[in-house]
Amino acid sequence: MDAILTTVIPALLPAVGDGFRSLIAKFTGTSAAAPKTVDEHIALMNADTDRLRAMAELDRPSGKASAWVTNLRESSRYIAVHIVIVNGVVQMLLNSDPVVVDLSFDLASSGFFFLFGDRVYRHLKRGK
């Protein structure tokens, strides 16, 4: 039960926070962080684009590297996440020590939400 709570509660915190913010905005009639004009909305979109461009620049290798090195470097996070998720399943199937299984599931849930959490949350928000 504790493993489920440590997985579900952090996953739902952004949604609860967003709901609370929406509730405050509904009662006050304003949303402080929302752009008020089209120009403000465009500026916000440009700032988001610049932030994503800067993050992509940080991931770009600084020198000339082989294609396989670049591909491995770009996929290393996803490979590691899949290893962590598979480890959680294997630990459960092997009936390992309960502490090890709980820790493996906590790590696997973090990896799962790294892969899918943001996309699912955006899809749910878009469906409103």
Side-chain angles (χ1 to χ4, degrees), residues 33-120:
K36 305 289 188 245
T37 66
V38 173
D39 290 335
E40 289 177 357
H41 189 69
I42 291 171
L44 184 62
M45 289 173 59
N46 287 337
D48 284 342
T49 303
D50 290 342
R51 181 181 59 84
L52 290 173
R53 194 173 291 132
M55 289 176 63
E57 187 65 32
L58 289 173
D59 279 344
R60 186 169 295 135
S62 59
K64 183 73 175 154
S66 298
W68 72 270
V69 172
T70 304
N71 291 340
L72 182 62
R73 183 177 182 272
E74 290 173 354
S75 63
S76 63
R77 290 183 201 131
Y78 298 99
I79 292 169
V81 165
H82 284 90
I83 290 170
V84 167
I85 291 172
V86 168
N87 176 55
V89 173
V90 167
Q91 293 299 327
M92 180 193 65
L93 293 176
L94 292 177
N95 292 322
S96 296
D97 181 25
V99 174
V100 174
V101 172
D102 285 345
L103 179 60
S104 296
F105 274 2
D106 286 346
L107 292 172
S109 66
S110 299
F112 183 83
F113 287 112
F114 166 74
L115 292 175
F116 302 110
D118 191 42
R119 291 173 186 88
V120 170

